Every structure is written in structure tokens, then in C-alpha cells.
Amino acid sequence: MSAERERLRRVVYVSHTAVEPGQPMWPVLDSILTAARRNNRRAGVTGALVYSARRFAQVLEGPPESVEAVFERIQCDLRHDHVTVLEVSEPEARAFGDWSMAFVADAPVPAEALEGPGGAARLMAMLQAAIRNTEAAAG
Ligand SMILES: Cc1cc2nc3c(=O)[nH]c(=O)nc-3n(C[C@H](O)[C@H](O)[C@H](O)COP(=O)(O)O)c2cc1C
């Protein structure tokens, strides 16, 4: 067959919000998601972001150079810190291909549970379940 499989990179990380406790979080999330969706669509990057209990967890997928460029910017972003990479891989297929950046608030899995072996797999499973529930709720 003609079409070569797309080369993909996946990066999964967790981080802590740098927004002071008591300050509103929603304007920050809104601004992150607006920029993420605009830039990722242009760059062919897809993924999902969780915010829960003052932690972020994110999956980024796409062409390796695009994912690296996006992740470089994310690591320099002062709105979060303690960025800890859980997985860097070359998956066969995208897990969040329909989403320039899906968003899940109040994850059913505590962010601490994502650290340690298997954390990235647990996060991906949780995100996919949460997104399926959202789709079901939306009819
Ligand atoms: C937790 C978190 C997740 C982010 N995710 C993305 C993302 O997926 N894509 C992206 O382009 N920017 C993302 N950003 C924002 C970048 O750090 C940066 O502000 C943005 O890419 C700048 O884009 P702009 O120059 O178009 O405003 C994220 C930031 C944070 C704190």
C-alpha cells in the first residue's frame, strides 16, 4: 500500500499549577486551552489535559518535531512548575486523534497515582474513559 504510517511522538507529563491558592483558576485554564487548541490544530498536535487538585497532567501526540516544539514552550510556561515527564514514546497510533486538546477537570484518578511505574498508562486510560463519558453525556 502507498501510505506510509505517520511517525508519531507521544509525551506524557504531570506538573503543579503556579497560580496562588485562592486565585481563580478558570481564566488561566481558558487561556491555556485557547492557545493550545489554536496552535495544536496548526501543528498537527492532538492530546488531552487534566486539571485536578492543583495538578496538571497532559498527553501530547503528533509529528515528533511539532510535539517537541510545543513541549519546549510548555516547559518554559511560568503558570506551572515541577514538570515531570512520565512517558516519551513513538506510538503506532494516536490515542486522542479527534482532539486538538481535550480537557478533563477533576480527574477521577488523583494526580499522585500517576507518578511511578505505569502512571502514563493509568492516565491515558482515565482520560479516554472521561472523554467517552463526556461524549455520552453530550448525546
Ligand atoms: C499545563 C499547560 C498546558 C499547555 N498546553 C499547551 C498545548 O497543548 N499547546 C500549546 O500550544 N500551548 C500549550 N500551553 C501554553 C504554552 O505554554 C504557551 O503559553 C503557548 O503555546 C504560547 O502560544 P501563543 O504564542 O500562541 O500565545 C500550555 C500551558 C500549560 C501551563
Side-chain angles (χ1 to χ4, degrees):
M1 295 307 261
S2 59
E4 252 185 56
R5 191 159 56 73
E6 181 188 28
R7 251 190 90 219
L8 287 172
R9 172 76 39 87
R10 176 183 294 147
V11 172
V12 183
Y13 75 87
V14 292
S15 64
H16 295 199
T17 179
V19 174
E20 293 292 325
Q23 292 300 306
M25 197 59 202
W26 64 263
V28 176
L29 294 172
D30 191 54
S31 134
I32 290 171
L33 285 170
T34 302
R37 287 173 177 154
R38 182 185 61 237
N39 295 334
N40 294 359
R41 204 165 282 133
R42 198 179 302 139
V45 171
T46 50
L49 175 70
V50 185
Y51 178 72
S52 180
R54 298 190 52 77
R55 308 281 195 106
F56 290 105
Q58 190 171 30
V59 182
L60 297 163
E61 299 175 330
E65 317 71 52
S66 306
V67 169
E68 273 154 31
V70 170
F71 189 49
E72 279 293 310
R73 290 204 304 276
I74 292 174
Q75 283 180 283
C76 296
D77 195 315
L78 299 177
R79 293 173 289 189
H80 67 168
D81 51 30
H82 296 88
V83 174
T84 306
V85 174
L86 302 183
E87 177 184 312
V88 178
S89 59
E90 308 259 314
E92 297 273 310
R94 295 178 192 241
F96 300 96
D98 293 339
W99 304 88
S100 55
M101 192 46 60
F103 179 65
V104 175
D106 296 322
V109 171
E112 297 80 4
L114 304 177
E115 285 162 26
R122 284 195 290 280
L123 173 65
M124 305 261 303
M126 180 275 285
L127 279 167
Q128 286 180 313
I131 290 166
R132 269 196 302 276
N133 288 342
T134 308
E135 284 172 346

